[in-house]
């Protein structure tokens, strides 16, 4: 099981127990979770990945892939400024170029536990607007306001302690972009 899977399981358990345990029990639970993170084999901080570079994206992407990218932008960055939408699309494209991630847009988008909107189903419910398509096209034309980021998160809603271990590059709107 990958580190992300363990963290997802642990965080869901913590959320459930937080609703049912008194505050003192929560402290013990937090200690147990930290201990679990240390003792579970294979859970270590990943080494810093190299900057997104290398294999170029194929010319003339199919419309289905552009639609998927625009839908992800709509789901993940609906309330963000335009530059934030472009940055979210750029993160997907940066991942396609990076050896630790799938090499296709659908592969990146549907990678397990990669994007909250895909996990909770809001990806399919998102209303895709013209600005989401424009942002996707701008990212495909090599505009990367994220500075080569491989991750982004909203610090007000993020439940993953792991994401805070990533080196942060920039803040755009309500998202922090990281390596």
């Amino acid at each position: 099981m990958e580190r992300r899977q363990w963290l997802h399981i642990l965080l869901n358990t913590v959320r459930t127990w937080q609703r049912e345990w008194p505050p003192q029990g929560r402290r013990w639970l937090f200690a147990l979770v930290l201990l679990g993170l240390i003792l579970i084999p294979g859970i270590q901080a990943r080494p810093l990945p190299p900057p997104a570079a290398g294999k170029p994206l194929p010319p003339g992407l199919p419309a289905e892939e552009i639609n998927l990218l625009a839908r992800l932008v709509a789901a993940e960055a609906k309330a963000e400024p335009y530059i934030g939408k472009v940055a979210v699309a750029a993160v997907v494209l940066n991942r396609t170029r990076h050896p630790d991630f799938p090499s296709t847009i659908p592969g990146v988008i549907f990678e397990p536990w990669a994007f909250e909107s895909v996990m909770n189903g809001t990806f399919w419910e998102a209303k895709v607007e013209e600005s989401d398509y424009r942002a996707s096209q701008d990212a495909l034309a090599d505009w990367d306001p994220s500075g080569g980021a491989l991750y982004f998160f909203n610090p007000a809603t993020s439940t993953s302690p792991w994401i805070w271990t990533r080196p942060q590059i920039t803040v755009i709107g309500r998202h922090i972009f990281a390596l």
Side-chain angles (χ1 to χ4, degrees):
M1 216 182 253
E2 283 188 292
R3 183 175 190 277
R4 283 188 198 173
Q5 292 169 320
W6 279 109
L7 285 175
H8 183 71
I9 291 167
L10 286 171
L11 289 173
N12 280 338
T13 304
V14 167
R15 282 188 215 123
T16 303
W17 288 351
Q18 277 182 337
R19 290 189 297 266
E20 299 172 10
W21 285 23
Q24 186 173 9
R26 289 183 197 163
R27 281 186 232 122
W28 280 105
L29 176 63
F30 180 71
L32 287 173
V33 168
L34 283 178
L35 185 62
L37 288 173
I38 294 167
L39 295 179
I40 294 171
I43 296 188
Q44 301 104 0
R46 285 172 36 178
L48 286 180
K55 58 185 186 228
L57 289 169
L61 283 174
E64 297 83 23
E65 291 191 23
I66 296 170
N67 288 336
L68 285 174
L69 185 58
R71 181 167 294 283
L72 184 78
V73 169
E76 293 283 340
K78 61 182 162 245
E80 295 299 313
Y82 183 75
I83 192 171
K85 291 181 178 217
V86 177
V88 165
V91 165
V92 173
L93 300 178
N94 291 342
R95 288 184 182 188
T96 65
R97 296 178 186 113
H98 193 278
D100 288 348
F101 296 95
S103 60
T104 65
I105 290 172
V108 168
I109 291 173
F110 297 114
E111 184 178 25
W113 298 283
F115 297 101
E116 182 72 24
S117 64
V118 175
M119 287 181 357
N120 66 23
T122 57
F123 173 81
W124 298 108
E125 300 165 2
K127 182 180 180 230
V128 184
E129 298 176 354
E130 193 270 331
S131 64
D132 302 319
Y133 284 104
R134 271 191 299 115
S136 299
Q137 290 291 350
D138 282 343
L140 286 164
D142 289 331
W143 182 23
D144 184 1
S146 78
L150 295 173
Y151 304 97
F152 65 89
F153 65 101
N154 182 335
T157 61
S158 178
T159 58
S160 169
W162 174 82
I163 196 68
W164 288 97
T165 68
R166 309 311 307 160
Q168 297 176 8
I169 299 173
T170 189
V171 176
I172 302 173
R174 284 176 263 175
H175 284 144
I176 295 175
F177 291 83
L179 283 176

